[in-house]
Amino acid sequence: MTMNLKDLSRSLWVFHLNTGSCNGCDIEIVAALTPRYDVERFGMKLVGTPRHADILLVTGPVSRDMEKKVKRIYEQVPDPKVVLVVGNCGNTGGVFYESYNLVGPVDRIIPVDVYVPGCPPRPEAIIDGVVRAWKRLEELGGKK
Ligand code: SF4
């Protein structure tokens, strides 16, 4: 079944967490949200607290000082929830792989549902990841 963001009947709320990114991925996320790509027109929006989110979007490898915070924020997102990791650093450690101050890629700390590779990924790839995350959310019984 082909799905796209226009099929969303309700807004998809996303909490964005930077666990140690260089900000390159974060800039591409901003590009996806702002008028050039404008995913907000489909109802997707960033929210200011994980307690209101459907999707936890993570950028960056997990630095030591972020480990406990990542776990706590993951627990604060209500079920059903989906974790979407954007960028090579969060997926594998990327250019920071095996750095002394990292505890690893995101899936060593919390479960990850959707991976978007790239350094940084283009906005189109991020939007594709959001659609995959939305499909996963539906499988879990979340927003339709
Ligand atoms: S994947 Fe590339 S752009 Fe994204 S946080 Fe890592 S180094 Fe920066």
Side-chain angles (χ1 to χ4, degrees):
M1 181 172 71
T2 303
M3 300 170 90
N4 62 52
L5 286 172
K6 285 181 183 169
D7 296 331
L8 274 175
S9 59
R10 288 160 54 184
S11 298
L12 200 58
W13 287 9
V14 179
F15 184 77
H16 175 199
L17 175 65
N18 178 337
T19 60
S21 152
C22 75
N23 284 339
C25 289
D26 309 274
I27 290 168
E28 297 302 320
I29 290 165
V30 171
L33 288 165
T34 47
R36 168 112 182 156
Y37 293 91
D38 197 14
V39 292
E40 285 194 347
R41 72 197 138 121
F42 302 118
M44 179 190 150
K45 60 176 273 187
L46 292 184
V47 292
T49 167
R51 296 181 195 282
H52 293 165
D54 305 297
I55 294 175
L56 179 60
L57 189 164
V58 185
T59 56
V62 182
S63 58
R64 288 191 188 284
D65 68 326
M66 286 299 288
E67 183 178 9
K68 285 184 183 165
K69 293 170 189 149
V70 171
K71 287 180 182 165
R72 192 164 68 233
I73 289 169
Y74 173 77
E75 285 163 7
Q76 288 173 343
V77 179
D79 289 322
K81 60 189 161 199
V82 172
V83 177
L84 164 65
V85 176
V86 169
N88 288 351
C89 287
N91 290 339
T92 64
V95 292
F96 301 112
Y97 184 72
E98 289 192 329
S99 292
Y100 67 93
N101 58 344
L102 297 183
V103 289
V106 176
D107 61 8
R108 280 203 202 145
I109 317 301
I110 57 173
V112 173
D113 299 283
V114 178
Y115 299 84
V116 177
C119 180
R122 289 189 52 81
E124 293 93 333
I126 296 171
I127 293 167
D128 178 68
V130 170
V131 172
R132 285 188 283 136
W134 166 49
K135 287 180 190 172
R136 178 70 184 137
L137 191 62
E138 279 203 332
E139 288 168 9
L140 295 172
K143 287 187 172 176
K144 297 201 167 105

